[in-house]
Structures are given as structure tokens and as C-alpha cells.
Amino acid sequence: MEIQETINRGIQLAFQNIFNHDLPLDQISLAPTRKEFEGTYTFVVFPYLKVSKATPEATANLIGEYLKENVSEVTGFNVVKGFLNLELNNMIWVDVFQKLYSNQNIGQFPANGQKVMVEYSSPNTNKPLHLGHLRNNFLGFSVANILAANGYEVTKANLVNDRGIHICKSMVAYKHFGDDETPESSGLKGDHLAGKYYVIFDQEYKKQIAELKEEGQTEDEAKKNAPLILEAQDMLRKWEANDEEVVSLWNLMNTWVYAGFEKTYERMGVSFDKYYYESDTYLLGKDIVTEGLEKGVFFKKDNGSVWVDLTEEGLDEKLVLRGDGTSVYITQDLGTADLKYDDFGISKSVYVVGNEQDYHFDVLFKIMRKLGRPYGEGLHHLSYGMVDLPTGKMKSREGTVVDADDLMQEMIDTAAQHTKELGKIDGFNSEQAKELYEMLGMGALKYFLLKVDPKKRMLFNPQESIEFQGNTGPFIQYSHARIASILRKADQIGVEYKQADFTSIPKIEESESSLIYLLNDFEKKIFQAGLDYSPAILAQYLFDLAKEYNRFYADLPIFLENDASILAFRVALSAHTAKTLNKGMQLLGIAVPERM
């Protein structure tokens, strides 16, 4: 980063001396020079032609000559139209590396004094987690890690949807068809057992609808009058009235589900600092409606219902409380937002929720800002697209949902088969091999789901994700294992690289300086990933770094080097690359192997 700052200051001085113009530093940006041109950094002059009053080529040449004469790091330049490509003294990268190598806290910014909550997962207690939840959980956990690396104090939260008509559907089905089945007697995880009865409810409900239609009712009438749906609605009313029998069944089934979720979360490698439950929060928010009416943010209609007018903000009017005084979904979200602030004093709150809820969060955030909440400007919806499989879109209620547990196991099994075929477990005992398969399978799954910009809908291809070549988790994991092997060999033959001073090495090759250039970008990428709430930025960087390391390794066989100082430098460069890959993958929630 310091080299860029030095060049930026040089460009600022060039504008002062050549064009008599004060150009603020924050208006100067350098891009990496494209591979087909000579140079390290490129400065684009087109935006400044009004200042220079010259052609793009003339402007670029004037600045280039000034930098070559006045900035020691710049040894040459070339101009392609309005693009000024700056060629740097290669040896400066040794100094850059020396600073990187002595930093014990790479990838960690100092504390910034700000608190942020990242809420993700948000499961329903009537069914197990599915493929969409995998993207949600991996995104939430990774973003929390990245924000922590940026210096935030992070709380990872899970708002569990444990009440409502859908929960009662599973309960009604279990009551009629369960025959006292338990996770132990069935051999099913508790969340799968609850999900089984959610599917049964749907199947039996459809049968009842068909029967009522045969008796002459319309589709809509049959859906409303089917005995099972009426019973589910009655059960919800009883639950809200704290009926002992209903609450007892609710507690029993939820206990099973939570035990099942914990096993899934453990395998996913995600965790939470705070759980919120809708059964505790669904009555919140009514006091905020009263406050909003007093402040003139909300208004009441003739039927007693309370609304907010967001037409000036480009939206419409939105209901926040029904005429009979009962809540709508946004009412409790208003209350929960305040609850989070009361609990943790957060200045930012990130909601990891699918893009089908874009409108809902737009409304929620606009309301909280109108109400003048201190955390209002820090509200962010991390909106993500659906995940498809090559076999097509998922459907949940028909029982054809792509189950998270099944998919994770399938990935681990595929990793085992693939790794055996490639012969990468020679010398492993069965326990070590099992650990490696888990690491590779989960690494493949997480990386594939995280490398795509969260906003984009994506196609998950299990076979492609497990490959050891290309933009995959296993490619990066294998690159780390390769470096770990090099370091073991260096230790065995006594290479002195751990505390070494490399500033006196006689030369540095292009593939070494290119690698250092990328290593120097690590914290910049972490910062950008935090700013954009996008692990994809970090994932792409780690792939580029692993690829660049493999090019360096192919160009310069490390242990064929005769000069002891250059040998130590190349081993140290390898060690720092491994450290960077490890730290970066940790931020994505992915473990890297020491050998394979």
C-alpha cells in the first residue's frame, strides 16, 4: 500500500508543477497494469484532460516524465492512449515483502470501536436446513469474520422462526400420524423428523382439498375449509393463549429440531453468539407504532389500522398494525431492531436474507431512519440470490428439497472418491484420511457458494466444485498443502528463513515481484470485502494468489537455487503465501490441510 501512496503523492506533485492544479489525493487512483503491457500500476488520465488542456497521450507522457525524474520507485513508463503504465524498480518489492513478513497480525485491522450484528440462518423449526440455508449460513459467518478482521466488534445472531401456522402444520400432522415416534425410535435427526410431518401435512391437506372439491366446493373454498388447515389455525390460537397441551407438544418438537440443527451447524462450521426466537419477539413493536403515531411518522386510517407513507422515499403506503390491534410481520421486526440495539449497542446491523425480501427490508430501514434511530444509517440487507442445482429449482413442501445434511455428506463422499483416485492420501491413516475428506468436501462446497457475488442467482455444480484445478476450494487447499510440504523440507535441510533479513539479496525475478504485489493487496481486499459485504472479493483474491504462487513455483524451482540468501527468500515468500492463504480461507470459514 505504501508504494501506491508514494506514487499518488508523486502524481499530485506532477499536477501542481506541470498544470498548476491542486489535485486531492482521494481523487487519484491506480489500477494494476494489464498483463499484456509492461508496468505495475496504471494511471488513467482521461478524467483530467480539462486540467491538462492537452491530448491524452501528451498528458500521460508529461506525468510519466515527471514521475521518472522525481519518484525513485518509478524507473520507466509507457503510454497506451490515455493509459500511463508505470514501470517500477523491481528491488522495491523486497522492502515491501520485508514489512509484510515481519507483520505478526496479517489480515487483522486494529479495533475501530464500532459494534455490528450479523444476523443469519433464521431457520424455521418445522423442517431441516436446505441448500439455500447453506449459502445463507456461509455468507453470514464469513461476513462476520471479515467485519471482525476489519476491526469491528461482531455479534453473530440467529433469529429462529419457531412460531406461526407453518409450525402448527407439523404439530397437527404429528398429533394425527406420529404414533409417538421420536428421533431415537425413528433413527432420524430431530429436524428431519419435524420436516417429515410437515410434508405429511401437505400430502393429507391436498387429499382433503380434493375430497371437498368433489363435493362441489371451489378450490379456494376447499383450501379454507379443509379440516387440517382449520385445526392448524385453531392450534395457533391455542398456542397464543398458552394452552398447556399445545405448548407442551411445541416444546417437545422444538427440542428435537434444535438438537438436529446443532449437528448441522457443527458440520457447516458456523456458530452464533446470540439466539433470538420469534416466540419471544412476535409481540414486540406495538410501542414503536404508538411512538410513530406521536411523532407523525405513522398515521391511522378510519378502520383503526396504522400505516406509514413512504411515497416520498419512492415506495408506497405500508401497513404497520392491523385495525384490530394485531401485529403484521414488520411490527415485530421494528421491535426486534430496537431489542438488538438495547442488548448490544450496535451501530451497524446486517441482515443476511434472500432477495425475495428486498422490499420488506427497504420499508423496515426507511421506517427506522424516519423514527431517528441511532443505528438507522447502519442497517444493511445482505440480499442474496437463489441457488439452483443442475437438476433444477428446489421445492420444499413436496419433500423434494435439497437437504443440507445430505448435500454436505454427498460432497464429503465425492471428495473421498476424488482424492483416492488422484492418490493424494499416501501415508494417511484412516482417521487422517477422514479428516481430509471432510476438509476438502466442505471447502469445495463453501468456496463454490461464496465465490459468486452474493447478489447473483447461482448454479451450484457439485462435480465442478470438487476439482483440484480451476477456481475451486480444493485448488487453494492443495496449494497450501504443497507449500506446507516445501516448508517441512526447508526445515529438514536447515534453511534459515524465519527471522531473516532479505534486503541484501542480489536480485528479484518477475514472478517473485508479481507474487509480492498480490500479497501486498491482502488487507486491501479484506477492507473491500467488508465494505461491500462480499466474501466473493476475498475468494477471487485467494484463487489469484494460489494461481500466482503456482506460477512462481513452476518458474523458480526453490531447492535448485544455489545462493543461500535467495533460497531463504523464496522459502520465506512461500511461508508468507501459506500464511496469507490460511488466514484468508479462515475468513471464508474454510480449513486448509498441512499435507495431502
Side-chain angles (χ1 to χ4, degrees):
M1 291 294 285
E2 288 177 16
I3 293 174
Q4 286 176 264
E5 288 162 11
T6 301
I7 296 170
N8 285 350
R9 280 194 288 271
I11 292 170
Q12 186 182 47
L13 287 169
F15 271 83
Q16 284 174 358
N17 289 305
I18 303 167
F19 308 121
N20 194 28
H21 177 79
D22 289 324
L23 183 64
L25 280 172
D26 61 10
Q27 289 181 23
I28 302 170
S29 66
L30 299 173
T33 302
R34 284 165 56 179
K35 291 285 185 189
E36 60 264 38
F37 301 114
E38 283 291 311
T40 303
Y41 293 114
T42 296
F43 178 63
V44 182
V45 303
F46 293 113
Y48 311 103
L49 299 183
K50 283 183 181 175
V51 171
S52 69
K53 297 182 175 59
T55 65
E57 289 84 352
T59 304
N61 275 297
L62 285 167
I63 298 168
E65 287 292 350
Y66 181 90
L67 293 174
K68 187 178 172 183
E69 288 173 20
N70 294 281
V71 178
S72 60
E73 287 84 353
V74 178
T75 55
F77 67 93
N78 63 84
V79 175
V80 181
K81 296 181 180 174
F83 297 88
L84 170 60
N85 301 320
L86 300 171
E87 297 156 26
L88 305 188
N89 173 4
N90 228 10
M91 293 306 288
I92 63 173
W93 294 108
V94 179
D95 293 329
V96 171
F97 178 70
Q98 193 72 50
K99 285 175 185 164
L100 289 174
Y101 196 56
S102 59
N103 180 4
Q104 296 303 306
N105 295 308
I106 63 159
Q108 180 59 56
F109 290 83
N112 63 17
Q114 290 191 60
K115 295 178 179 179
V116 59
M117 178 176 285
V118 182
E119 179 199 299
Y120 59 99
S121 198
S122 305
N124 296 319
T125 59
N126 61 321
K127 54 188 174 183
L129 304 175
H130 56 62
L131 175 56
H133 285 116
L134 288 174
R135 190 178 198 190
N136 180 301
N137 280 274
F138 297 155
L139 272 173
F141 186 72
S142 179
V143 164
N145 289 342
I146 289 166
L147 291 174
N150 274 289
Y152 289 93
E153 184 182 328
V154 180
T155 301
K156 294 172 292 183
N158 189 346
L159 175 60
V160 181
N161 187 351
D162 64 343
R163 68 167 291 279
I165 191 70
H166 50 294
I167 309 296
C168 291
K169 287 176 181 179
S170 293
M171 291 164 63
V172 165
Y174 181 79
K175 188 176 164 188
H176 283 288
F177 312 107
D179 199 22
D180 294 329
E181 187 176 31
T182 66
E184 291 74 25
S185 70
S186 65
L188 289 172
K189 276 174 81 240
D191 50 335
H192 286 259
L193 187 61
K196 170 184 167 181
Y197 287 98
Y198 187 60
V199 172
I200 288 172
F201 178 94
D202 192 64
Q203 291 166 345
E204 297 298 323
Y205 178 41
K206 281 178 178 168
K207 287 180 193 173
Q208 290 184 351
I209 291 168
E211 287 167 8
L212 291 173
K213 281 168 72 180
E214 280 180 19
E215 292 171 13
Q217 293 192 22
T218 65
E219 176 93 17
D220 285 346
E221 286 171 343
K223 282 181 177 177
K224 287 178 188 168
N225 297 330
L228 276 175
I229 197 69
L230 293 172
E231 188 176 349
Q233 289 163 352
D234 184 54
M235 185 177 272
L236 179 58
R237 282 189 289 271
K238 285 180 176 176
W239 181 88
E240 290 183 357
N242 213 22
D243 179 272
E244 193 176 326
E245 187 182 336
V246 170
V247 171
S248 176
L249 177 59
W250 176 79
N251 277 322
L252 176 69
M253 293 183 75
N254 273 351
T255 303
W256 295 341
V257 170
Y258 295 142
F261 283 169
E262 278 311 305
K263 287 180 182 172
T264 305
Y265 288 142
E266 188 179 346
R267 183 163 239 186
M268 280 185 192
V270 304
S271 59
F272 305 92
D273 305 307
K274 174 71 177 176
Y275 282 88
Y276 290 103
Y277 299 91
E278 287 202 9
S279 53
D280 296 327
T281 65
Y282 81 104
L283 294 176
L284 294 177
K286 291 186 181 180
D287 54 339
I288 298 175
V289 173
T290 304
E291 176 196 341
L293 283 168
E294 289 169 358
K295 286 182 173 178
V297 172
F298 301 150
F299 67 93
K300 199 174 268 195
K301 290 194 176 179
D302 292 342
N303 63 1
S305 61
V306 181
W307 296 70
V308 62
D309 185 356
L310 296 172
T311 49
E312 283 185 16
E313 285 82 3
L315 296 176
D316 50 8
E317 292 182 352
K318 175 72 179 173
L319 176 71
V320 294
L321 196 71
R322 293 190 188 98
D324 62 4
T326 57
S327 299
V328 287
Y329 205 80
I330 205 155
T331 324
Q332 72 184 60
D333 274 0
L334 298 171
T336 307
D338 267 5
L339 179 63
K340 290 174 175 180
Y341 180 74
D342 292 342
D343 285 349
F344 294 98
I346 50 177
S347 56
K348 284 181 185 287
S349 190
V350 181
Y351 296 75
V352 185
V353 183
N355 56 15
E356 70 277 4
Q357 294 292 330
D358 284 355
Y359 170 77
H360 175 82
F361 283 105
D362 197 11
V363 170
L364 175 66
F365 297 168
K366 282 181 166 67
I367 290 173
M368 297 322 268
R369 286 165 194 151
K370 281 172 89 76
L371 288 169
R373 288 301 187 262
Y375 56 85
E377 294 305 318
L379 294 166
H380 180 79
H381 175 206
L382 176 44
S383 171
Y384 64 89
M386 182 176 280
V387 185
D388 295 315
L389 281 167
T391 48
K393 189 178 169 182
M394 302 180 303
K395 291 182 181 176
S396 60
R397 276 186 297 192
E398 283 74 22
T400 55
V401 63
V402 183
D403 181 78
D405 292 316
D406 291 346
L407 184 56
M408 287 191 288
Q409 188 59 54
E410 183 188 318
M411 290 301 300
I412 292 156
D413 292 344
T414 306
Q417 182 188 343
H418 201 53
T419 311
K420 285 173 191 169
E421 285 169 2
L422 294 171
K424 294 189 185 297
I425 52 161
D426 296 342
F428 279 59
N429 63 36
S430 61
E431 196 57 41
Q432 290 167 331
K434 185 181 171 191
E435 192 179 321
L436 181 65
Y437 303 149
E438 186 97 18
M439 203 181 286
L440 292 173
M442 290 306 298
L445 179 60
K446 288 184 187 183
Y447 184 85
F448 206 93
L449 292 179
L450 289 173
K451 74 175 182 177
V452 177
D453 184 303
K455 297 182 196 71
K456 292 180 180 173
R457 185 169 184 156
M458 67 172 295
L459 182 72
F460 173 62
N461 188 326
Q463 284 304 126
E464 187 187 326
S465 73
I466 208 79
E467 293 296 329
F468 283 89
Q469 294 300 321
N471 191 1
T472 67
F475 169 68
I476 299 167
Q477 289 172 314
Y478 181 57
S479 299
H480 181 273
R482 165 181 267 178
I483 301 173
S485 170
I486 289 165
L487 299 182
R488 285 193 295 273
K489 183 173 179 180
D491 290 338
Q492 284 166 8
I493 63 175
V495 179
E496 298 288 340
Y497 68 93
K498 289 180 181 169
Q499 305 297 329
D501 179 355
F502 305 110
T503 50
S504 59
I505 62 167
K507 61 177 181 173
I508 179 171
E509 303 294 342
E510 184 275 332
S511 55
E512 292 170 315
S513 60
S514 292
L515 185 55
I516 296 166
Y517 173 90
L518 262 184
L519 288 166
N520 194 41
D521 258 357
F522 182 42
E523 290 186 352
K524 182 178 163 188
K525 296 297 181 183
I526 291 173
F527 180 77
Q528 194 61 48
L531 209 59
D532 295 354
Y533 304 98
S534 177
I537 292 168
L538 187 56
Q540 183 61 46
Y541 167 79
L542 294 170
F543 170 59
D544 291 340
L545 180 61
K547 203 166 49 168
E548 195 63 45
Y549 179 82
N550 282 290
R551 183 172 81 90
F552 151 79
Y553 182 75
D555 285 354
L556 305 167
I558 291 170
F559 295 109
L560 296 181
E561 177 55 55
N562 293 320
D563 184 306
S565 64
I566 294 175
L567 172 61
F569 173 66
R570 288 176 184 165
V571 172
L573 195 48
S574 300
H576 193 74
T577 303
K579 191 175 177 182
T580 305
L581 289 174
N582 186 12
K583 174 67 177 178
M585 291 290 263
Q586 272 180 20
L587 294 179
L588 297 181
I590 299 172
V592 288
E594 290 297 313
R595 65 191 185 101
M596 58 189 286

